[in-house]
Amino acid sequence: RTEAYLAYTGDKRFLCSESGRSFVMYQVQGHSWIVMGDPVGDSTEWSDLLWTLREEAHSSQGRLLLYQISRDALPLAIDLGLQIVKYGEEARIDLAEFSLDGAEAKTLRYSVRRAEREGAIFEVIPAAQVPAIMPRLQEISAGWLKDKGHKEKGFSVGRFDPAYLARFDCAIVRQGDRIVAFANIWATQNKAELSVDLMRHDADLPYGTMDFLFAHLMDWGKRQGFHWFTLGMAPLSGLEARRLAPLWMRLGSLLYEHGEMLYGFEGLRSYKDKFSPTWEPRFIAGPQGLGLVRALIDLQALISSRK
């Protein structure tokens, strides 16, 4: 999975197996030992890694939280005695089936063609050439953060760091000779999955530029032989507010439906739906009761802290 590249962001600790075939990436925030995603590598070693980390957290009077794990890791979370809650859904596109043709792609096709009419040009810059365009990428990033009123985050996402970005190929959109948008490319060596991490753009750019970038990158990945493209998470998506559902699911569903002005969760899912993805659930697993709430508070502090 491409999320393994979060190991390069420089804000994590690692627990590696004795064989060197697998590892867990995590960080300690407050009393919470927070694991980012599934363990990476040989799945037969995942259990030993997570039990070792749980024991280390316990000996330090800490609590273990597994963040954004997939269904593959659920049996281990159950064995560890953790409470499991659905966090959201991940949008994944089967590149063999991806196409701009057909009724389902009408909205996406319109955006791509309009961006092309306004002079948008797609290009993949090899990693070795990324340092040459780094000053322009930094200019775009600084402007994007200012316009959005955002600060850099960490742990579950990358941040603008020249050393980090220089590790990856970069998808860019030009208008004339000017770069107006970029995204660093995550690509597994076995071509199982393709994705992006940091996505930033100018305030003044052709209509539909980001649709244009994603569509062309998916087409590029399809021609390169990649299987899946992941558009990342839609937090709280897929939660059902049934009367007997757990409190977390009922509150999450309510926030998803009525918190649009504050969080934009529903808009995020709607945007990703344009690409006709397969939605796969992602989970959080942590201590029972109030301990889970405290761990989630530590998680939010960690993501915002840029350690």
Side-chain angles (χ1 to χ4, degrees), residues 92-98 188 190-194 221-222 224-230:
R92 292 167 60 76
I93 293 94
D94 185 342
L95 291 179
E97 303 296 326
F98 176 72
T188 61
N190 64 0
K191 297 194 174 182
E193 188 173 278
L194 184 70
K222 181 177 181 177
Q224 296 289 323
F226 285 91
H227 184 189
W228 292 100
F229 187 98
T230 175

Side-chain angles (χ1 to χ4, degrees), residues 77-136:
I78 294 170
D79 290 344
L80 289 164
L82 301 177
Q83 177 182 353
I84 298 169
V85 295
K86 184 177 179 182
Y87 171 69
E89 294 181 305
E90 181 185 37
R92 292 167 60 76
I93 293 94
D94 185 342
L95 291 179
E97 303 296 326
F98 176 72
S99 173
L100 290 178
D101 298 329
E104 287 187 349
K106 181 179 179 180
T107 302
L108 181 59
R109 185 167 61 246
Y110 172 79
S111 296
V112 170
R113 289 177 178 173
R114 181 165 170 181
E116 290 172 344
R117 288 196 299 270
E118 294 186 22
I121 300 170
F122 173 81
E123 187 178 353
V124 173
I125 305 297
Q129 299 175 23
V130 168
I133 62 171
M134 196 70 72
R136 175 56 185 152

Side-chain angles (χ1 to χ4, degrees), residues 205-221:
L205 74 170
Y207 175 91
T209 292
M210 298 313 290
D211 289 352
F212 172 87
L213 185 152
F214 280 124
H216 276 273
L217 184 55
M218 289 178 197
D219 182 65
W220 177 85

Side-chain angles (χ1 to χ4, degrees), residues 28 88 103 127 182 245:
V28 178
F182 74 91

